[in-house]
Amino acid sequence: MDFQFDYQMFESPLVGFAWQTWSDARGGSFMSAAAAQCEMVITRYRGELTVHLRGPETKASPAPIPEEAEFLGITFKLGTFMPHLPTETLVDGDALLPLTAGERAFWLNGSAWEVPTFDNADVFVRRLERQGLIARDPVVDAALAGRAAGVSPRSLQRRFLRATGLTHGAIAQIERAREAMTLLQRGRSILDVVAQAGYADQPHLTRSLKYYVGHTPAQLAGVK
């Protein structure tokens, strides 16, 4: 099924944006593409509320869609993490946050937090930042930009994994596949995408997209 999304962008060094969407009465499933970022996802379904912290996804995987559900997501910027919750434990998985009595709030690092809405997500994000519940290690930005991080290679690797849950190489592969997906969906030819995204040839692109996105280049380009 196709989703219609609303987005709210943040002026934050730690959090990128919030999104919301709804499913219709059909439900079904979709292919969830690999992603290097962590996010918080709030779902309302048949009067029940769940709050998950989702970790990085290293490959495409099918995901169920409950019928007539509401979804709110807050997507962290690459490298943002929660110091009290190791990102490595969330890779290809998530953590279900317990709710308080009455389900109007959830527990996070020992404190009760009111469940945010799309309209007040920016306030929620600022509170997370002020309370130090999300952080960003400066060595991540340095490593991603190819700059000297000022630490030993061993320390860099340890801190990078702590913040992202992934290796630098794994993130590069995921980001390249997502860039190729976007280019194809915007109408670029398959051969142009091979060259622009830096793939060796079309079979290389196909293998990458099937693994990280779950679709072939022709499917993403809408080629019959």
Side-chain angles (χ1 to χ4, degrees):
M1 64 174 292
D2 294 327
F3 288 104
Q4 299 295 322
F5 287 88
D6 295 327
Y7 291 97
Q8 178 185 171
M9 308 304 295
F10 297 136
E11 293 183 359
S12 165
L14 304 177
V15 183
F17 57 91
W19 54 265
Q20 68 175 352
T21 191
W22 303 262
S23 62
D24 59 25
R26 296 172 296 171
S29 65
F30 74 105
M31 188 61 68
S32 178
Q37 297 92 338
C38 298
E39 64 181 357
M40 177 178 289
V41 179
I42 299 157
T43 304
R44 297 183 185 274
Y45 173 59
R46 293 183 175 177
E48 295 187 0
L49 174 74
T50 56
V51 182
H52 288 86
L53 287 174
R54 295 180 55 185
E57 295 181 75
T58 61
K59 61 182 179 179
S61 59
I65 306 171
E67 68 276 7
E68 297 182 333
E70 302 176 18
F71 306 92
L72 168 66
I74 296 174
T75 302
F76 302 152
K77 288 183 176 177
L78 179 59
T80 297
F81 65 102
M82 291 191 167
H84 70 281
L85 184 62
T87 307
E88 300 99 306
T89 65
L90 299 176
V91 175
D92 291 323
D94 59 31
L96 177 64
L97 300 181
L99 303 176
T100 63
E103 298 189 353
R104 294 181 58 85
F106 61 92
W107 294 102
L108 180 63
N109 196 31
S111 298
W113 288 71
E114 184 179 351
V115 177
T117 66
F118 185 73
D119 292 331
N120 68 16
D122 57 337
V123 176
F124 175 77
V125 165
R126 288 196 296 270
R127 289 186 60 209
L128 287 177
E129 294 177 355
R130 285 197 303 269
Q131 295 296 321
L133 290 181
I134 53 177
R136 187 177 182 85
D137 192 326
V139 304
V140 172
D141 289 328
L144 293 173
R147 303 192 306 267
V151 298
S152 69
R154 183 181 182 87
S155 179
L156 173 62
Q157 183 182 41
R158 176 179 56 80
R159 288 170 60 175
F160 194 93
L161 278 171
R162 176 173 179 262
T164 68
L166 303 173
T167 65
H168 192 177
I171 290 173
Q173 294 290 336
I174 292 170
E175 294 296 297
R176 180 167 66 166
R178 293 183 70 91
E179 176 192 6
M181 174 180 67
T182 299
L183 291 171
L184 288 165
Q185 291 174 333
R186 290 177 177 174
R188 298 294 297 273
S189 72
I190 293 175
L191 292 180
D192 282 348
V193 173
V194 168
Q196 185 168 338
Y199 288 97
D201 49 32
Q202 186 171 334
H204 185 200
L205 171 67
T206 299
R207 290 193 300 272
S208 175
L209 290 182
K210 287 179 68 175
Y211 184 82
Y212 292 110
V213 181
H215 297 287
T216 66
Q219 288 171 332
L220 291 169
V223 178
K224 301 297 185 180

